Amino acid sequence: MKTKIVTFGEILLRLSKPEYQRLFQGHRMLGNYGGSEANTAISLAYLGNNVEYVTRLPYGAMGEAALMHLREYGLNVSHVVRGGDRLGTYYFEEAVAMRNSHVIYDRKNSAMYSLKRGMIEWDKVLADAAVFHCSGITCAISRDSMESTMDALRLAESKGLTIVCDINYRKNLWGYGMQPHDVIYNMMQYSDIVFGDQNEWEVASGVNHIPFNASDANFEIDKEAYQEYFRKMHQLFPKCKKMIMALRNQLASSHHTLT
């Protein structure tokens, strides 16, 4: 029985300041690796799954360091594509007090940004796979990255794989002319499992989300309203068997209500 889970996306170098400092404060920065799909792959590997992570990395020390990081967690990286000028980065300010977290992306002309359609041999990657996981972030990076994702989705569907879509809408990334709704909506037509927060579901579906105003654990959601909402979602995305929505109300930077 096939058990391999394939995730596809960009691994990034995350640079942040210690002790809640702003980016313009202090003289030290902390380096770590991030990226939604890489985080997903590592989490699944922690749980004992057979996971392959697919991305594109530059030659040289930075690309090798990222590969070593992935291998530390037992990930299969045998189909990682090499090339491009640089590793993508982002700068992160951690939330504190009444200040929200803040992210500045520096991904333009990264190895993943300059990925060309056809570089990834999806036939080989998916030959022994059971699950394919993708994200709206990957589709936002560039047109070729989006089209590579769609190539994988079409092939995964033809092979009968379970397809998992993380909506993962990041408005600051979309810059190559395609509308986020149109692309993500198309991704979700192939998907068996979809997850995202209430705002991401709204972007993907075009249907306004139900307000979530919980201030404590005594709040009761309107179950009938959500059942009706997801009946609409099933009409829009008939292939999808499982739909997960995270509900969040931010009371302060470090105090959120979630369900």
Side-chain angles (χ1 to χ4, degrees):
M1 182 177 71
K2 295 178 180 179
T3 61
K4 187 174 78 171
I5 302 170
V6 175
T7 75
F8 174 52
E10 182 174 28
I11 187 169
L12 301 157
L13 180 63
R14 183 181 72 191
L15 298 170
S16 59
K17 290 292 181 73
E19 300 173 347
Y20 302 105
Q21 289 179 339
R22 304 293 299 272
L23 290 174
F24 55 78
Q25 294 177 306
H27 302 284
R28 292 186 298 129
M29 299 197 83
L30 305 175
N32 207 334
Y33 291 99
S36 171
E37 305 81 13
N39 294 340
T40 298
I42 289 169
S43 296
L44 289 166
Y46 265 143
L47 295 171
N49 293 283
N50 172 19
V51 187
E52 176 169 1
Y53 178 63
V54 180
T55 191
R56 186 172 186 243
L57 292 171
Y59 289 105
M62 296 307 296
E64 289 301 321
L67 274 180
M68 289 174 64
H69 173 77
L70 295 166
R71 290 188 181 113
E72 283 180 9
Y73 296 96
L75 297 181
N76 177 351
V77 290
S78 59
H79 290 102
V80 167
V81 178
R82 305 302 297 272
D85 294 333
R86 56 183 288 260
L87 188 68
T89 60
Y90 69 104
Y91 302 88
F92 180 69
E93 284 185 351
E94 191 172 356
V96 64
M98 297 304 292
R99 188 183 84 208
N100 288 333
S101 62
H102 183 52
V103 174
I104 300 173
Y105 290 112
D106 182 15
R107 305 170 85 149
K108 193 170 184 179
N109 298 321
S110 70
M112 193 70 176
Y113 182 93
S114 59
L115 174 80
K116 296 302 179 187
R117 189 178 185 184
M119 283 183 174
I120 298 170
E121 297 181 284
W122 287 117
D123 275 320
K124 293 181 179 179
V125 174
L126 300 178
D128 58 345
V131 177
F132 177 68
H133 167 84
C134 60
S135 159
I137 287 180
T138 309
C139 288
I141 296 170
S142 67
R143 184 180 292 271
D144 278 300
S145 184
M146 179 271 292
E147 290 179 341
S148 295
T149 303
M150 297 309 299
D151 287 342
L153 286 170
R154 284 186 284 268
L155 184 60
E157 183 184 48
S158 72
K159 290 179 174 292
L161 275 65
T162 297
I163 296 172
V164 184
C165 171
D166 181 357
I167 298 172
N168 239 337
Y169 171 62
R170 299 290 184 271
K171 65 179 180 180
N172 293 336
L173 286 179
W174 291 84
Y176 59 89
M178 296 290 288
Q179 292 300 312
H181 164 78
D182 296 340
V183 174
I184 297 171
Y185 186 96
N186 194 19
M187 286 177 62
M188 290 167 63
Q189 296 300 324
Y190 292 91
S191 302
D192 300 288
I193 302 171
V194 174
F195 56 94
D197 68 26
Q198 69 265 42
N199 297 308
E200 291 172 329
W201 275 97
E202 181 173 323
V203 170
S205 68
V207 179
N208 292 337
H209 72 272
I210 301 167
F212 178 69
N213 302 313
S215 58
D216 56 42
N218 294 318
F219 182 85
E220 293 187 11
I221 67 171
D222 186 344
K223 292 183 180 179
E224 291 185 2
Y226 281 100
Q227 287 171 345
E228 178 59 28
Y229 186 93
F230 281 106
R231 278 193 284 269
K232 292 179 182 177
M233 294 303 101
H234 188 62
Q235 291 172 353
L236 292 174
F237 310 109
K239 187 174 183 286
C240 190
K241 302 176 182 66
K242 295 182 185 295
M243 300 181 178
I244 300 98
M245 176 186 285
L247 305 178
R248 177 194 300 265
N249 184 31
Q250 182 175 341
L251 304 177
S253 62
S254 58
H255 186 186
H256 295 205
T257 54
L258 299 164
T259 193

